[in-house]
Amino acid sequence: MSTRIADARKNIGMTQKALAEKLGIAASTLNGYEKGNHKPDSEILIAVSNITGCTVDYLLGRVDGLTSFSKKKTPLLQPKLK
């Protein structure tokens, strides 16, 4: 996850300091996330996603593309007919 936060930030040409300011956190905290020393909470992940335009799934390593998402549909349960 750490490298993906950095990749998403770099993809939009933003510095650590600028992203940290938008997130309302210290630059050192963001640096810790990007180095893998700390894990961001869900609110930070959502904010990074909103700011950078990538998906939370990308940040979590669930998909490879910055903006791709899974189109896999879960089959709906069919009601039992009586």
Side-chain angles (χ1 to χ4, degrees), residues 6-60:
D7 291 343
R9 175 183 57 77
K10 291 173 186 175
N11 187 57
I12 61 167
M14 190 173 272
T15 65
Q16 276 188 346
K17 182 179 178 183
L19 180 56
E21 286 175 4
K22 284 193 170 262
L23 294 171
I25 60 174
S28 60
T29 301
L30 178 60
N31 186 44
Y33 296 155
E34 291 189 2
K35 289 188 174 195
N37 297 332
H38 312 287
K39 292 192 180 211
D41 63 23
S42 59
E43 289 180 14
I44 294 293
L45 287 176
I46 291 167
V48 170
S49 172
N50 289 337
I51 294 165
T52 63
C54 73
T55 65
V56 173
D57 280 342
Y58 171 78
L59 295 173
L60 293 173

Short mmCIF file of all heavy atoms in Angstrom, two decimals, residues 6-60:
data_model
loop_
_atom_site.label_atom_id
_atom_site.label_comp_id
_atom_site.label_asym_id
_atom_site.label_seq_id
_atom_site.Cartn_x
_atom_site.Cartn_y
_atom_site.Cartn_z
N ALA A 6 2.29 6.74 -2.71
CA ALA A 6 3.30 7.59 -3.35
C ALA A 6 3.07 7.66 -4.86
O ALA A 6 3.16 8.74 -5.45
CB ALA A 6 4.70 7.06 -3.04
N ASP A 7 2.78 6.53 -5.49
CA ASP A 7 2.55 6.51 -6.94
C ASP A 7 1.35 7.37 -7.32
O ASP A 7 1.39 8.11 -8.30
CB ASP A 7 2.33 5.08 -7.44
CG ASP A 7 3.59 4.24 -7.38
OD1 ASP A 7 4.70 4.81 -7.26
OD2 ASP A 7 3.46 3.00 -7.45
N ALA A 8 0.27 7.28 -6.54
CA ALA A 8 -0.93 8.07 -6.82
C ALA A 8 -0.62 9.56 -6.67
O ALA A 8 -1.05 10.38 -7.49
CB ALA A 8 -2.06 7.65 -5.88
N ARG A 9 0.13 9.90 -5.66
CA ARG A 9 0.51 11.30 -5.43
C ARG A 9 1.37 11.81 -6.57
O ARG A 9 1.13 12.88 -7.13
CB ARG A 9 1.27 11.43 -4.10
CG ARG A 9 1.81 12.82 -3.83
CD ARG A 9 2.60 12.89 -2.55
NE ARG A 9 3.73 11.97 -2.46
CZ ARG A 9 4.90 12.15 -3.08
NH1 ARG A 9 5.10 13.18 -3.87
NH2 ARG A 9 5.87 11.26 -2.91
N LYS A 10 2.37 11.04 -6.94
CA LYS A 10 3.28 11.44 -8.02
C LYS A 10 2.56 11.52 -9.36
O LYS A 10 2.90 12.34 -10.20
CB LYS A 10 4.45 10.46 -8.11
CG LYS A 10 5.38 10.55 -6.91
CD LYS A 10 6.43 9.46 -6.96
CE LYS A 10 7.28 9.44 -5.70
NZ LYS A 10 8.21 8.29 -5.70
N ASN A 11 1.57 10.65 -9.55
CA ASN A 11 0.83 10.63 -10.81
C ASN A 11 0.13 11.97 -11.10
O ASN A 11 -0.04 12.33 -12.25
CB ASN A 11 -0.21 9.50 -10.78
CG ASN A 11 -0.89 9.31 -12.10
OD1 ASN A 11 -0.24 9.07 -13.12
ND2 ASN A 11 -2.21 9.41 -12.12
N ILE A 12 -0.25 12.68 -10.04
CA ILE A 12 -0.89 13.98 -10.25
C ILE A 12 0.09 15.13 -10.03
O ILE A 12 -0.30 16.30 -10.02
CB ILE A 12 -2.15 14.16 -9.36
CG1 ILE A 12 -1.79 14.09 -7.88
CG2 ILE A 12 -3.22 13.15 -9.73
CD1 ILE A 12 -2.91 14.56 -6.97
N GLY A 13 1.37 14.80 -9.85
CA GLY A 13 2.40 15.82 -9.73
C GLY A 13 2.36 16.60 -8.43
O GLY A 13 2.73 17.77 -8.38
N MET A 14 1.94 15.95 -7.35
CA MET A 14 1.81 16.62 -6.07
C MET A 14 2.97 16.23 -5.15
O MET A 14 3.42 15.08 -5.15
CB MET A 14 0.49 16.24 -5.42
CG MET A 14 0.13 17.04 -4.19
SD MET A 14 -1.54 16.67 -3.60
CE MET A 14 -2.47 17.84 -4.56
N THR A 15 3.45 17.18 -4.40
CA THR A 15 4.51 16.90 -3.42
C THR A 15 3.89 16.29 -2.17
O THR A 15 2.69 16.40 -1.93
CB THR A 15 5.25 18.20 -3.01
OG1 THR A 15 4.32 19.05 -2.34
CG2 THR A 15 5.86 18.89 -4.21
N GLN A 16 4.75 15.66 -1.36
CA GLN A 16 4.28 15.13 -0.08
C GLN A 16 3.71 16.24 0.77
O GLN A 16 2.67 16.07 1.41
CB GLN A 16 5.43 14.45 0.67
CG GLN A 16 5.69 13.03 0.28
CD GLN A 16 6.70 12.36 1.20
OE1 GLN A 16 7.40 13.01 1.98
NE2 GLN A 16 6.78 11.05 1.11
N LYS A 17 4.39 17.36 0.79
CA LYS A 17 3.94 18.49 1.63
C LYS A 17 2.55 18.96 1.20
O LYS A 17 1.67 19.17 2.04
CB LYS A 17 4.94 19.64 1.54
CG LYS A 17 4.56 20.82 2.40
CD LYS A 17 5.59 21.93 2.30
CE LYS A 17 5.14 23.11 3.15
NZ LYS A 17 6.05 24.24 3.04
N ALA A 18 2.33 19.09 -0.10
CA ALA A 18 1.03 19.57 -0.60
C ALA A 18 -0.09 18.57 -0.29
O ALA A 18 -1.17 18.97 0.14
CB ALA A 18 1.11 19.82 -2.11
N LEU A 19 0.18 17.28 -0.50
CA LEU A 19 -0.84 16.27 -0.20
C LEU A 19 -1.13 16.23 1.30
O LEU A 19 -2.28 16.16 1.72
CB LEU A 19 -0.44 14.89 -0.72
CG LEU A 19 -1.45 13.77 -0.46
CD1 LEU A 19 -2.82 14.10 -1.04
CD2 LEU A 19 -0.94 12.45 -1.02
N ALA A 20 -0.09 16.29 2.10
CA ALA A 20 -0.27 16.27 3.55
C ALA A 20 -1.14 17.44 4.00
O ALA A 20 -2.03 17.28 4.84
CB ALA A 20 1.08 16.30 4.25
N GLU A 21 -0.92 18.61 3.41
CA GLU A 21 -1.73 19.78 3.77
C GLU A 21 -3.19 19.56 3.40
O GLU A 21 -4.08 19.88 4.18
CB GLU A 21 -1.19 21.03 3.06
CG GLU A 21 0.10 21.55 3.68
CD GLU A 21 0.70 22.72 2.91
OE1 GLU A 21 0.10 23.20 1.93
OE2 GLU A 21 1.79 23.17 3.32
N LYS A 22 -3.44 19.00 2.21
CA LYS A 22 -4.82 18.73 1.80
C LYS A 22 -5.48 17.70 2.70
O LYS A 22 -6.68 17.75 2.93
CB LYS A 22 -4.87 18.28 0.34
CG LYS A 22 -4.69 19.40 -0.64
CD LYS A 22 -5.08 18.92 -2.03
CE LYS A 22 -5.13 20.07 -2.98
NZ LYS A 22 -6.46 20.58 -3.19
N LEU A 23 -4.68 16.75 3.19
CA LEU A 23 -5.21 15.70 4.07
C LEU A 23 -5.35 16.18 5.50
O LEU A 23 -6.01 15.52 6.31
CB LEU A 23 -4.29 14.47 4.03
CG LEU A 23 -4.21 13.71 2.72
CD1 LEU A 23 -3.10 12.67 2.78
CD2 LEU A 23 -5.55 13.05 2.39
N GLY A 24 -4.71 17.30 5.83
CA GLY A 24 -4.76 17.81 7.20
C GLY A 24 -3.88 17.02 8.15
O GLY A 24 -4.21 16.89 9.34
N ILE A 25 -2.78 16.48 7.62
CA ILE A 25 -1.84 15.71 8.44
C ILE A 25 -0.44 16.29 8.26
O ILE A 25 -0.18 17.05 7.33
CB ILE A 25 -1.84 14.21 8.09
CG1 ILE A 25 -1.44 13.98 6.62
CG2 ILE A 25 -3.20 13.58 8.38
CD1 ILE A 25 -1.28 12.53 6.22
N ALA A 26 0.46 15.90 9.13
CA ALA A 26 1.85 16.33 9.00
C ALA A 26 2.52 15.62 7.83
O ALA A 26 2.19 14.48 7.52
CB ALA A 26 2.61 16.02 10.29
N ALA A 27 3.43 16.32 7.17
CA ALA A 27 4.17 15.72 6.07
C ALA A 27 4.93 14.47 6.54
O ALA A 27 5.07 13.50 5.79
CB ALA A 27 5.13 16.73 5.44
N SER A 28 5.40 14.50 7.78
CA SER A 28 6.12 13.34 8.31
C SER A 28 5.19 12.12 8.44
O SER A 28 5.63 10.98 8.28
CB SER A 28 6.76 13.67 9.66
OG SER A 28 5.77 14.06 10.60
N THR A 29 3.92 12.37 8.73
CA THR A 29 2.95 11.27 8.80
C THR A 29 2.74 10.66 7.42
O THR A 29 2.75 9.44 7.27
CB THR A 29 1.61 11.77 9.38
OG1 THR A 29 1.85 12.31 10.68
CG2 THR A 29 0.59 10.65 9.47
N LEU A 30 2.57 11.52 6.42
CA LEU A 30 2.42 11.02 5.05
C LEU A 30 3.67 10.27 4.62
O LEU A 30 3.58 9.21 4.00
CB LEU A 30 2.12 12.17 4.08
CG LEU A 30 1.98 11.77 2.62
CD1 LEU A 30 0.85 10.76 2.42
CD2 LEU A 30 1.76 12.99 1.74
N ASN A 31 4.83 10.80 4.97
CA ASN A 31 6.08 10.12 4.66
C ASN A 31 6.11 8.73 5.28
O ASN A 31 6.54 7.76 4.65
CB ASN A 31 7.27 10.96 5.14
CG ASN A 31 8.59 10.38 4.71
OD1 ASN A 31 8.75 9.96 3.58
ND2 ASN A 31 9.54 10.36 5.63
N GLY A 32 5.60 8.61 6.50
CA GLY A 32 5.53 7.31 7.17
C GLY A 32 4.61 6.35 6.44
O GLY A 32 4.90 5.16 6.34
N TYR A 33 3.48 6.87 5.92
CA TYR A 33 2.58 6.03 5.13
C TYR A 33 3.28 5.54 3.86
O TYR A 33 3.20 4.37 3.50
CB TYR A 33 1.32 6.79 4.71
CG TYR A 33 0.41 7.24 5.83
CD1 TYR A 33 -0.42 8.33 5.65
CD2 TYR A 33 0.36 6.58 7.05
CE1 TYR A 33 -1.28 8.76 6.65
CE2 TYR A 33 -0.49 7.01 8.07
CZ TYR A 33 -1.31 8.09 7.85
OH TYR A 33 -2.16 8.51 8.86
N GLU A 34 3.96 6.46 3.19
CA GLU A 34 4.60 6.12 1.92
C GLU A 34 5.79 5.19 2.10
O GLU A 34 6.13 4.44 1.19
CB GLU A 34 5.01 7.39 1.18
CG GLU A 34 3.81 8.18 0.67
CD GLU A 34 4.18 9.33 -0.24
OE1 GLU A 34 5.38 9.53 -0.53
OE2 GLU A 34 3.25 10.03 -0.68
N LYS A 35 6.42 5.22 3.25
CA LYS A 35 7.54 4.32 3.52
C LYS A 35 7.10 3.00 4.14
O LYS A 35 7.90 2.10 4.32
CB LYS A 35 8.56 5.01 4.42
CG LYS A 35 9.32 6.09 3.71
CD LYS A 35 10.44 6.61 4.57
CE LYS A 35 11.26 7.58 3.74
NZ LYS A 35 12.54 7.86 4.34
N GLY A 36 5.81 2.91 4.50
CA GLY A 36 5.31 1.68 5.09
C GLY A 36 5.52 1.58 6.58
O GLY A 36 5.34 0.52 7.17
N ASN A 37 5.90 2.69 7.22
CA ASN A 37 6.11 2.68 8.67
C ASN A 37 4.80 2.74 9.44
O ASN A 37 4.76 2.34 10.61
CB ASN A 37 6.99 3.86 9.09
CG ASN A 37 8.38 3.79 8.48
OD1 ASN A 37 8.88 2.71 8.19
ND2 ASN A 37 8.98 4.94 8.26
N HIS A 38 3.77 3.29 8.82
CA HIS A 38 2.45 3.42 9.44
C HIS A 38 1.40 3.08 8.40
O HIS A 38 1.64 3.22 7.20
CB HIS A 38 2.19 4.85 9.93
CG HIS A 38 3.29 5.44 10.72
ND1 HIS A 38 3.57 5.06 12.00
CD2 HIS A 38 4.20 6.40 10.41
CE1 HIS A 38 4.61 5.76 12.45
NE2 HIS A 38 5.00 6.58 11.49
N LYS A 39 0.24 2.65 8.86
CA LYS A 39 -0.88 2.38 7.95
C LYS A 39 -1.95 3.43 8.16
O LYS A 39 -2.37 3.68 9.28
CB LYS A 39 -1.46 0.99 8.20
CG LYS A 39 -0.48 -0.09 7.80
CD LYS A 39 -1.14 -1.43 7.79
CE LYS A 39 -0.08 -2.44 7.38
NZ LYS A 39 -0.60 -3.55 6.68
N PRO A 40 -2.40 4.04 7.05
CA PRO A 40 -3.45 5.05 7.18
C PRO A 40 -4.80 4.43 7.50
O PRO A 40 -5.06 3.28 7.13
CB PRO A 40 -3.47 5.70 5.79
CG PRO A 40 -2.96 4.65 4.87
CD PRO A 40 -1.97 3.85 5.67
N ASP A 41 -5.64 5.20 8.18
CA ASP A 41 -6.99 4.70 8.45
C ASP A 41 -7.85 4.88 7.20
O ASP A 41 -7.41 5.45 6.20
CB ASP A 41 -7.59 5.36 9.68
CG ASP A 41 -7.78 6.87 9.54
OD1 ASP A 41 -7.86 7.39 8.41
OD2 ASP A 41 -7.86 7.54 10.58
N SER A 42 -9.06 4.38 7.26
CA SER A 42 -9.94 4.40 6.09
C SER A 42 -10.26 5.82 5.64
O SER A 42 -10.38 6.09 4.44
CB SER A 42 -11.22 3.62 6.35
OG SER A 42 -11.92 4.16 7.45
N GLU A 43 -10.39 6.75 6.56
CA GLU A 43 -10.69 8.14 6.19
C GLU A 43 -9.57 8.74 5.36
O GLU A 43 -9.82 9.46 4.40
CB GLU A 43 -10.93 8.99 7.44
CG GLU A 43 -12.23 8.66 8.15
CD GLU A 43 -12.46 9.51 9.38
OE1 GLU A 43 -11.75 10.53 9.56
OE2 GLU A 43 -13.35 9.17 10.16
N ILE A 44 -8.33 8.45 5.72
CA ILE A 44 -7.19 8.95 4.96
C ILE A 44 -7.16 8.30 3.58
O ILE A 44 -6.93 8.98 2.57
CB ILE A 44 -5.86 8.71 5.71
CG1 ILE A 44 -5.82 9.55 6.99
CG2 ILE A 44 -4.66 8.99 4.82
CD1 ILE A 44 -5.74 11.06 6.78
N LEU A 45 -7.40 6.99 3.51
CA LEU A 45 -7.41 6.31 2.21
C LEU A 45 -8.46 6.90 1.28
O LEU A 45 -8.21 7.13 0.10
CB LEU A 45 -7.64 4.81 2.39
CG LEU A 45 -6.48 4.02 2.96
CD1 LEU A 45 -6.90 2.57 3.17
CD2 LEU A 45 -5.27 4.09 2.05
N ILE A 46 -9.64 7.17 1.82
CA ILE A 46 -10.71 7.75 1.02
C ILE A 46 -10.31 9.15 0.55
O ILE A 46 -10.52 9.52 -0.61
CB ILE A 46 -12.03 7.77 1.80
CG1 ILE A 46 -12.53 6.33 1.99
CG2 ILE A 46 -13.08 8.62 1.10
CD1 ILE A 46 -13.65 6.19 2.99
N ALA A 47 -9.71 9.93 1.44
CA ALA A 47 -9.28 11.28 1.07
C ALA A 47 -8.19 11.24 0.01
O ALA A 47 -8.22 12.02 -0.95
CB ALA A 47 -8.80 12.03 2.31
N VAL A 48 -7.22 10.33 0.15
CA VAL A 48 -6.16 10.19 -0.87
C VAL A 48 -6.80 9.82 -2.21
O VAL A 48 -6.44 10.37 -3.25
CB VAL A 48 -5.11 9.14 -0.45
CG1 VAL A 48 -4.16 8.82 -1.61
CG2 VAL A 48 -4.32 9.63 0.76
N SER A 49 -7.75 8.92 -2.18
CA SER A 49 -8.45 8.51 -3.39
C SER A 49 -9.16 9.70 -4.04
O SER A 49 -9.05 9.90 -5.24
CB SER A 49 -9.47 7.41 -3.03
OG SER A 49 -10.29 7.12 -4.13
N ASN A 50 -9.87 10.47 -3.25
CA ASN A 50 -10.59 11.63 -3.78
C ASN A 50 -9.65 12.68 -4.36
O ASN A 50 -9.93 13.25 -5.41
CB ASN A 50 -11.45 12.28 -2.69
CG ASN A 50 -12.64 11.43 -2.32
OD1 ASN A 50 -13.10 10.59 -3.10
ND2 ASN A 50 -13.15 11.63 -1.12
N ILE A 51 -8.55 12.91 -3.69
CA ILE A 51 -7.60 13.94 -4.14
C ILE A 51 -6.84 13.51 -5.38
O ILE A 51 -6.66 14.29 -6.32
CB ILE A 51 -6.62 14.30 -3.01
CG1 ILE A 51 -7.37 14.99 -1.86
CG2 ILE A 51 -5.47 15.18 -3.51
CD1 ILE A 51 -6.59 15.07 -0.56
N THR A 52 -6.42 12.25 -5.42
CA THR A 52 -5.57 11.78 -6.52
C THR A 52 -6.34 11.21 -7.69
O THR A 52 -5.81 11.04 -8.78
CB THR A 52 -4.57 10.72 -6.04
OG1 THR A 52 -5.29 9.57 -5.58
CG2 THR A 52 -3.67 11.26 -4.94
N GLY A 53 -7.61 10.89 -7.46
CA GLY A 53 -8.42 10.33 -8.54
C GLY A 53 -8.24 8.84 -8.73
O GLY A 53 -8.75 8.27 -9.69
N CYS A 54 -7.51 8.20 -7.84
CA CYS A 54 -7.36 6.74 -7.93
C CYS A 54 -8.44 6.09 -7.06
O CYS A 54 -9.13 6.76 -6.31
CB CYS A 54 -5.97 6.31 -7.50
SG CYS A 54 -5.68 6.41 -5.73
N THR A 55 -8.55 4.80 -7.17
CA THR A 55 -9.54 4.09 -6.37
C THR A 55 -8.91 3.63 -5.06
O THR A 55 -7.70 3.44 -4.97
CB THR A 55 -10.09 2.86 -7.11
OG1 THR A 55 -9.02 1.92 -7.30
CG2 THR A 55 -10.71 3.24 -8.44
N VAL A 56 -9.75 3.44 -4.05
CA VAL A 56 -9.27 2.88 -2.79
C VAL A 56 -8.78 1.46 -3.04
O VAL A 56 -7.80 1.03 -2.44
CB VAL A 56 -10.38 2.93 -1.71
CG1 VAL A 56 -9.95 2.19 -0.45
CG2 VAL A 56 -10.74 4.37 -1.37
N ASP A 57 -9.44 0.74 -3.94
CA ASP A 57 -8.98 -0.61 -4.28
C ASP A 57 -7.55 -0.60 -4.80
O ASP A 57 -6.77 -1.49 -4.49
CB ASP A 57 -9.90 -1.26 -5.31
CG ASP A 57 -11.16 -1.83 -4.71
OD1 ASP A 57 -11.20 -2.03 -3.48
OD2 ASP A 57 -12.11 -2.09 -5.46
N TYR A 58 -7.19 0.42 -5.59
CA TYR A 58 -5.81 0.53 -6.06
C TYR A 58 -4.88 0.74 -4.86
O TYR A 58 -3.85 0.08 -4.75
CB TYR A 58 -5.65 1.69 -7.04
CG TYR A 58 -4.20 1.95 -7.36
CD1 TYR A 58 -3.51 1.13 -8.24
CD2 TYR A 58 -3.50 2.97 -6.73
CE1 TYR A 58 -2.16 1.32 -8.49
CE2 TYR A 58 -2.16 3.18 -6.96
CZ TYR A 58 -1.49 2.35 -7.85
OH TYR A 58 -0.15 2.54 -8.09
N LEU A 59 -5.23 1.65 -3.98
CA LEU A 59 -4.39 1.93 -2.82
C LEU A 59 -4.20 0.70 -1.95
O LEU A 59 -3.13 0.49 -1.37
CB LEU A 59 -4.97 3.08 -1.99
CG LEU A 59 -5.03 4.44 -2.68
CD1 LEU A 59 -5.77 5.44 -1.82
CD2 LEU A 59 -3.64 4.94 -3.02
N LEU A 60 -5.24 -0.13 -1.86
CA LEU A 60 -5.17 -1.35 -1.05
C LEU A 60 -4.51 -2.52 -1.77
O LEU A 60 -4.30 -3.57 -1.18
CB LEU A 60 -6.58 -1.76 -0.61
CG LEU A 60 -7.27 -0.82 0.37
CD1 LEU A 60 -8.72 -1.25 0.58
CD2 LEU A 60 -6.52 -0.78 1.70
#
